Amino acid sequence: MTRGSNSTTPLIRGFLRQARKDYAGPPEPGSGHTGHRPAGLSQQAVAHRMDISPRLYQDWEGGGRPVPVHRLDSLASTLGLDPYQRDELWFIVTGGFAPTGPAQPDPEAMSGWRLYLRALQVPALVLDSTWRIHEDNAAWRGLFEPEGQRPPANLLRFILFSPYARRLCGDWQASWAVPYLRQLRLEAGISEEPELRRIVAELQLDPELGVLWQTVGRGGRMALHNDGQVRLLIPPGGRAPYRVRTLVSSPAHNPRVRMVTLLPTPVEATVIAHEPLVSLPPTAA
């Protein structure tokens, strides 16, 4: 969502003026009797290259009208902005990064988040948009290795298809599978990710998951995220079951990934709300 022009006018004006002044790409035609071309780009040249009216570009630069979001990358290309300047333009206009995230994630930030993840004493992992697990920690692996299980490569596939998930994840159908299917319905509906489409195709061939998928679809409500939800874990090795609150966050340097932390939560402080959408016979682990 584009922010109001009043708060961003000084920033956008200064940014675009400087970007035009610093432009070092193909020159605009010479002007005047000598054919001399001033340094940088004029407002008219930017408008011509973007195929818009000079008045419209002047309004953008002056803060009279916000730059439309769908025009930001075209404007960045016209001005010859580098990846960091493109990110800055997006942030000034929208208050955030482009949907694809920063052009170049900061290596120091990546290293810091990796150290933070490994230092946590509770299960935590980092996922991409297809639920593939990029990083995890010892507490997460401790949910698998005592049972001779390999930690999963994809969290969504594990929850939906793995027999071990039905042993590890208490109240599997209502507290885990159904909310994840609700989120998948939303993500698969707006994403072009081939992996998500493959997961949908596979689950529809499964007798139990196929029924749940259709039932969730008829429910009319999708899940935007699983942040804050409380669920039951049944850890290996005969340890007592405990409830965990799912916390989801994204690092500022790369909002394309998300970090999922399973925080142990006192029983008296939790309420698990779910809807048993369909009653199915128990499936063997």
Side-chain angles (χ1 to χ4, degrees), residues 67-108:
V67 184
V69 171
H70 71 278
R71 290 283 199 169
L72 287 174
D73 280 340
S74 175
L75 178 58
S77 177
T78 299
L79 294 171
L81 302 185
D82 64 31
Y84 295 105
Q85 291 171 317
R86 169 188 172 271
D87 289 344
E88 187 176 351
L89 174 63
W90 267 89
F91 207 89
I92 290 173
V93 174
T94 71
F97 291 108
T100 54
Q104 298 180 9
D106 188 330
E108 292 186 6

Side-chain angles (χ1 to χ4, degrees), residues 190-210:
I190 62 176
S191 173
E192 297 296 327
E193 292 283 1
E195 175 63 7
L196 294 183
R197 298 185 181 276
R198 282 192 291 267
I199 292 174
V200 171
E202 291 173 31
L203 71 85
Q204 289 178 309
L205 296 176
D206 182 279
E208 181 178 11
L209 291 173

